[in-house]
Each structure stands twice: as structure tokens, then as C-alpha cells.
Amino acid sequence: MASLDRTLIANLPLFSGLKPEELDALLSEAQSVRYPKGVTVFHQDAEARAFFVLLHGHLRVFKLTPDGQQVVVRFVVPGEVFGVAMAIGRTVYPGTAVAVADSIALQWPSAAWPRLAAAHPELANNTLQTVGARLQDMHTRVVEMATLEVERRIAHALLRLAQQAGRKVETGVTIDFPISRQDVAEMTGTTLHTVSRILSAWEARGLVESARQKITLRQPHQLMLLAEGTG
Amino acid sequence: MASLDRTLIANLPLFSGLKPEELDALLSEAQSVRYPKGVTVFHQDAEARAFFVLLHGHLRVFKLTPDGQQVVVRFVVPGEVFGVAMAIGRTVYPGTAVAVADSIALQWPSAAWPRLAAAHPELANNTLQTVGARLQDMHTRVVEMATLEVERRIAHALLRLAQQAGRKVETGVTIDFPISRQDVAEMTGTTLHTVSRILSAWEARGLVESARQKITLRQPHQLMLLAEGTG
């Protein structure tokens, strides 16, 4: 663990409220693992043998339907806990996580969760906040899918991605991990064709710039008006 | 608290793993409140001053969009914890909860949550399992909305409601709380018109029986085949 940035780790939400010696004890049980771009961290329905904190990189988490269709659940960004199936009472992973960029994660055996959570109640409390925030995100997504036309849903989805993982660049705010039009389609419950049509129209208006696996918001404020139905 | 069924309360998921004296201490701080049918328990965006466990009755939780559209988030059944905004790091309720039947809930001040969760780590762990299960439910709903045609979504929604709150009756399994076709439309991201059309077709085939605010599954197995796309 010596090679990892200790200060960075101490500031992660999962470890909020832990004393330095508690964090040391926790980290002494963690394993640091590299996941090169394209590698699967865990598979849907596989035994949930570990839980993780992402230190570096980005993951794409998706669910496969019995019909073989894929739906992106979310992207995991550095600092986030993930794979906490055990903590929420499940024995298998509910989705598949794939590294979309070279990534590094800390991992602990799931079997250690009950003991660690008992010894450090902050762990359960902090995980509860993360899972609660994800639940709110999913509520938002369901409400948008049920009530908004597709153009507004796509605008909301891009703005949320920019908020989660935006990086300022000369031309605006770029989403700082590889994201495809197909991903955006799955996140908004529409087709690749529709996403392509709308992004092309936005591109013509100078609102966004999109290349292969790359989306940049050139006019986030204008996109916000669109999302709110006033653009 | 003397009038409430102590054994029933001790078996609720929220209190799992608590010692009898811990449960006593917790219950001594709780207030039991009646919510007659139609009464609002809390409003979306109001200060989250309390968290609750439903002992009796049923609640409908919904979100209002800025445009004034309503979307049902879920129904709360007896035994469930709800209104845990504080525990997930929010200061306001993310939705509105209304009693759809005469209901009774235990409530605690939200301000007591940090102290109670520190004294009884099981509370946070048990709440984490509930919130995690809700997150899985919402993932399922998003995946269905993104990939399934509306008839299969409605079949899945009714089967889940029957699993959550089904009661065996002579003609099949009835959903044991008042539920409207509009509710089903909001839960599946479609229109009242479409739900009515599909339920009428199913009624003609003898699959369901639906009266005002009442839905009975006459042939749950047949509905399951429909949900799976093989019916």
C-alpha cells in the first residue's frame, strides 16, 4: 500500500469519519489491483467475492437482460465504492463491471464485510449514503424516462455525466471517459439511431462535439435550458 | 407502545440482530402515529424531520416533476422502513408519501439517527439492505423500460406488486391495496390509455380482473409467461 497516495485515500467518502489508525487497519487488509482498459472486473450473477474502491480510471457497469440486451447502469468514477453486493444482502453481483480506461482499485474480500462494518460503523453509514445517492439517481432516471421526451432525457444524461466526470477543456466540458452513443442510448431508454440524430443536430447548432467514444459539451448552459424544456 | 404487538415489531427487518433491551431502548424513543386513508405522511422537498417504520396499512410514494407530472416511485408495505432521507445524507424528502389505506407508523426524529445508528450499528446495516434492495428494484425497472415492450413491462409490474403485497383470494391473487390504472401507467412509463387497453384485453382472456382501484391476477403463471415474452 506504500505506493498509493495516503492523503488521497483518507479523503474518500467511504473512509469519512475513520481515525488514522482505523484506516491503517482497513488498508492493511486491502489488495490493490490493476484493471487494464477492456478488462472485466466482475461478471453479473458471479459470486460477489470482493468489494472495491476505485482509485484511478473508469468503469462501465451494465446489466444483461435474459433476451441478451445490454443496459448501462452507471459509470464508476475514482473515489467510489462499488461491488458492495454483500453489504446490501446479495451473494452475487447484480451487473457486470468493465474498465473503460486503465484502472486501479482497492479490494477487500466480501466475507470480511460483516466484521469490518461491525468494527468501523462509519463504513456502513458511508456506504448507505452512496447507495442512497445511487437510488436517487435511479429515481431521477425513471422519472425522466416516464415523463420527458427523448431529447430532454439525453440532455439530462449528458449534464449528469459532465457533473460526475467532467473536465474543462478549451472548447467546453468534456466527459472524461470513453462513452459511446450506444451507452447514451442505453442510459436514456432510446435507440442508437435516435441518439445519433439528436447529437448530430446539436453538433450542427454548436452545442456539443462528439467523436468516437468522446463527448464534449460546448455550451452546457444552453443544454441545461434544453433539459429543462426551455431551450 | 404497550398496545402494539411486540413480537411482530421484533421481527421487522430494520430491527434484525438487535438485543431485546436495545429494541426496548429504540422503541421508547418512537412515536406511534395514525395516518387515515388519503392523508399525506410527508411532502416532497419538505424538511426530513422524521424517519418511519410502517406497521399497518399501505403508502404510495411518488415524485412530482417540475412540469407537474406525477410518477409513482413505490408502494410501502407493513414492516418497511421509509423516509430515511437523513440516513442517506439528504435533508429533505425526495418524494411525497400518502396513505392509500388507513395506516399506522412508528416514527423517530431524524436528528436522532446519527446517535441511534452509532449505538445500534445493525440499524445502518439493516437500512443499507433495504435501500440496496430498492436500488435493485429501480435497476430492474430502468432495464425493463429501456428494453421491453409495454405489455411485458405491465406484466412484470403487476407480478412484482403481487409478490410485494399479494393476498390469495378465491379467484387468484389480489394486490392488497388500492391501486389505479394511472398508478400502473406511472410505474411502467406509459399512458393511462395504454394500460386500460392492455388490462381490458387481459380481462377478456381471463388473465386478470380489474375494478376501480383493485387488480386481481387470475392466472399469475400465464402472466409470468407473458412477462418473459413466451406467453
Side-chain angles (χ1 to χ4, degrees):
Chain A
M1 297 295 317
S3 66
L4 295 167
D5 184 335
R6 180 51 205 270
T7 316
L8 184 140
I9 291 174
N11 286 325
L12 299 183
L14 177 64
F15 304 129
S16 169
L18 288 182
K19 297 188 192 79
E21 59 272 24
E22 288 185 291
L23 183 58
D24 284 339
L26 255 178
L27 292 180
S28 72
E29 296 193 41
Q31 204 187 342
S32 163
V33 186
R34 280 172 190 277
Y35 295 99
K37 179 172 174 171
V39 163
T40 298
V41 181
F42 53 74
H43 285 277
Q44 179 171 333
D45 296 330
E47 193 199 341
R49 47 166 195 82
F51 66 95
F52 309 79
V53 170
L54 190 66
L55 294 182
H56 180 79
H58 285 98
L59 310 181
R60 180 175 177 278
V61 182
F62 63 89
K63 278 177 99 86
L64 261 185
T65 70
D67 308 348
Q69 291 186 78
Q70 226 181 75
V71 179
V72 175
V73 171
R74 71 168 177 284
F75 287 87
V76 179
V77 301
E80 272 189 72
V81 67
F82 67 98
V84 288
M86 174 80 186
I88 62 173
R90 292 185 56 121
T91 56
V92 300
Y93 294 115
T96 297
V98 174
V100 290
D102 288 343
S103 300
I104 303 172
L106 289 180
Q107 70 171 55
W108 290 260
S110 292
W113 173 265
R115 177 175 51 82
L116 295 175
H120 317 286
E122 289 81 1
L123 277 186
N125 275 310
N126 296 337
T127 304
L128 182 51
Q129 304 227 348
T130 298
V131 174
R134 282 180 193 159
L135 180 59
Q136 296 310 312
D137 284 350
M138 292 310 280
H139 284 167
T140 301
R141 198 161 145 185
V142 163
V143 168
E144 287 173 4
M145 283 172 79
T147 63
L148 298 187
E149 48 175 319
V150 63
E151 185 171 33
R152 288 177 64 187
R153 299 208 299 268
I154 295 175
H156 275 292
L158 295 186
L159 288 166
R160 266 200 300 279
L161 287 167
Q163 196 170 27
Q164 191 195 11
R167 186 167 52 81
K168 280 215 166 156
V169 292
E170 216 175 302
T171 52
V173 179
T174 196
I175 295 165
D176 205 16
F177 52 79
I179 180 162
S180 69
R181 291 177 170 200
Q182 178 62 34
D183 291 333
V184 176
E186 291 170 21
M187 296 181 88
T188 54
T190 187
T191 60
L192 173 58
H193 176 79
T194 302
V195 170
S196 290
R197 181 176 53 77
I198 288 172
L199 286 188
S200 297
W202 287 354
E203 229 167 327
R205 289 170 60 186
L207 296 178
V208 302
E209 220 174 74
S210 82
R212 200 179 155 282
Q213 303 242 311
K214 187 134 208 73
I215 299 178
T216 303
L217 315 189
R218 294 190 59 144
Q219 298 187 46
H221 181 70
Q222 201 56 41
L223 215 55
M224 205 172 295
L225 295 179
L226 253 172
E228 287 164 2
T230 54
Chain B
M1 297 295 316
S3 66
L4 295 168
D5 183 336
R6 178 54 203 269
T7 316
L8 185 141
I9 290 174
N11 287 325
L12 298 182
L14 177 64
F15 304 129
S16 168
L18 287 182
K19 297 187 191 80
E21 59 271 24
E22 288 186 291
L23 183 57
D24 285 338
L26 256 178
L27 292 179
S28 72
E29 295 193 42
Q31 203 187 342
S32 163
V33 186
R34 281 174 188 277
Y35 294 99
K37 180 174 174 169
V39 163
T40 297
V41 181
F42 52 74
H43 285 276
Q44 180 172 333
D45 296 331
E47 194 200 339
R49 49 167 192 81
F51 66 96
F52 308 80
V53 170
L54 191 65
L55 294 183
H56 180 80
H58 286 98
L59 310 180
R60 181 175 176 278
V61 182
F62 63 90
K63 279 178 96 88
L64 261 186
T65 70
D67 307 349
Q69 291 186 78
Q70 228 183 71
V71 178
V72 175
V73 171
R74 72 167 175 284
F75 287 87
V76 180
V77 301
E80 271 191 71
V81 66
F82 66 98
V84 289
M86 174 79 185
I88 61 172
R90 294 186 55 122
T91 57
V92 300
Y93 294 115
T96 296
V98 173
V100 290
D102 290 343
S103 300
I104 303 173
L106 289 180
Q107 70 171 55
W108 289 261
S110 293
W113 172 266
R115 178 176 50 80
L116 295 175
H120 316 285
E122 289 82 0
L123 277 186
N125 274 309
N126 296 337
T127 303
L128 182 51
Q129 304 227 350
T130 298
V131 174
R134 284 180 191 159
L135 180 58
Q136 296 310 312
D137 284 349
M138 294 309 280
H139 284 167
T140 302
R141 198 161 146 185
V142 162
V143 168
E144 287 173 4
M145 284 172 77
T147 63
L148 298 187
E149 46 175 320
V150 65
E151 185 171 33
R152 289 177 62 185
R153 299 207 300 266
I154 295 175
H156 275 292
L158 294 187
L159 288 167
R160 266 200 300 278
L161 287 168
Q163 196 171 27
Q164 190 194 14
R167 185 166 51 81
K168 279 214 167 156
V169 292
E170 219 174 301
T171 53
V173 179
T174 196
I175 295 165
D176 205 16
F177 52 79
I179 180 162
S180 68
R181 292 177 168 201
Q182 178 63 35
D183 291 334
V184 176
E186 290 169 21
M187 295 181 90
T188 53
T190 187
T191 61
L192 174 57
H193 175 78
T194 301
V195 171
S196 291
R197 181 174 54 76
I198 287 171
L199 286 188
S200 297
W202 287 352
E203 228 165 330
R205 289 170 59 188
L207 296 178
V208 302
E209 222 174 72
S210 84
R212 200 179 156 281
Q213 303 242 310
K214 187 133 207 71
I215 299 178
T216 303
L217 315 189
R218 294 190 58 145
Q219 299 188 44
H221 181 69
Q222 202 54 42
L223 216 57
M224 206 173 293
L225 294 179
L226 253 172
E228 288 165 0
T230 55

